[in-house]
């Protein structure tokens, strides 16, 4: 049941942040999503291990999205806290994805190639959905190149997040039936 709720809250957080960005009302969406993330961490047996993973995922997301944005392949509707970095709501989404590593995506553990393939497909589709909902746009560098760059970023991200995760595999699987 934990995997189910992890998936549900991931989806709710994603929609809240994207719709908030599209309507320039991200504050409540980001706060609500961070409350869920804090609740998620609080209920873990080893919160320090999870915080390390979430922190690395956050840094990876900030750097990769900011570089793609800086290169002109992505434009975000809301640029807070800086026009030179990806926005806070995107940072929140990167951390939210990392919460699924030992939850709804735990079935990918030990399957890095499948994780890379799914990341390379689902990552850019998620960005495209957010763009179509009005949270951003493809930059002047071009949609196809932006799509390919995001595909590479996410194809690396999912296996990398599993690599970074130090949770004992057996314990993670037992706690997430």
């Amino acid at each position: 049941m934990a995997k189910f709720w992890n998936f549900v809250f991931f989806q709710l957080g994603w929609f809240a942040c994207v719709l908030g960005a599209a309507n320039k009302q991200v504050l409540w969406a980001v706060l609500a999503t961070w409350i869920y993330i804090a609740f998620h961490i609080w209920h873990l047996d080893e919160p320090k291990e999870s915080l390390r993973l979430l922190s690395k995922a956050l840094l990876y997301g900030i750097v990769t999205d900011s570089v793609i944005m800086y290169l002109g392949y992505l434009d975000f509707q809301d640029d807070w806290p800086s026009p030179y970095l990806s926005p806070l709501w995107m940072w929140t989404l990167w951390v939210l994805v990392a919460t699924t590593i030992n939850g709804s995506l735990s079935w990918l553990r030990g399957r890095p190639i499948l994780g890379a393939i799914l990341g390379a497909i689902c990552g850019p589709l998620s960005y495209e959905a957010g763009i179509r909902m009005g949270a951003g746009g493809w930059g002047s560098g071009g949609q196809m190149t932006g799509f390919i760059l995001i595909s590479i970023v996410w194809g690396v991200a999912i296996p990398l997040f599993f690599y970074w995760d130090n949770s004992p595999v057996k314990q993670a699987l037992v706690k997430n039936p």
Side-chain angles (χ1 to χ4, degrees):
M1 194 63 157
K3 289 180 187 181
F4 172 77
W5 288 111
N6 178 254
F7 175 78
V8 168
F9 282 110
F10 170 79
Q11 294 299 319
L12 290 172
W14 186 90
F15 276 105
C17 287
V18 169
L19 290 172
N23 294 301
K24 296 192 180 227
Q25 300 285 328
V26 296
L27 176 64
W28 294 112
V30 167
L31 282 175
T33 304
W34 277 102
I35 288 170
Y36 163 70
I37 292 168
F39 181 78
H40 171 82
I41 294 168
W42 181 58
H43 274 88
L44 295 174
D45 289 335
E46 297 186 28
K48 288 182 184 178
E49 297 298 328
S50 183
L51 281 172
R52 284 188 195 109
L53 169 64
L54 300 181
S55 298
K56 290 175 183 178
L58 173 63
L59 185 59
Y60 180 86
I62 291 171
V63 170
T64 56
D65 278 347
S66 297
V67 167
I68 293 171
M69 184 185 79
Y70 180 78
L71 293 173
Y73 296 105
L74 271 178
D75 287 323
F76 293 106
Q77 181 72 1
D78 182 294
D79 65 358
W80 193 86
S82 167
Y84 304 107
L85 296 173
S86 62
L88 177 66
W89 63 271
M90 283 298 296
W91 304 357
T92 303
L93 292 180
W94 278 97
V95 175
L96 189 62
V97 167
T99 67
T100 66
I101 294 300
N102 287 308
S104 57
L105 290 183
S106 64
W107 62 276
L108 286 173
R109 185 174 300 285
R111 298 177 175 139
I113 294 173
L114 183 57
I117 291 168
L118 289 176
I121 294 169
C122 297
L125 291 177
S126 179
Y127 280 64
E128 179 66 23
I131 287 169
R132 289 181 184 225
M133 292 170 70
W138 295 109
S140 58
Q143 177 180 356
M144 186 55 70
T145 304
F147 205 82
I148 291 168
L149 288 172
I150 292 169
S151 182
I152 293 167
V153 163
W154 279 96
V156 169
I158 298 301
L160 185 62
F161 292 177
F162 278 103
Y163 175 77
W164 282 339
D165 181 41
N166 292 325
S167 299
V169 174
K170 186 177 178 182
Q171 181 181 357
L173 294 176
V174 168
K175 294 292 181 184
N176 289 300

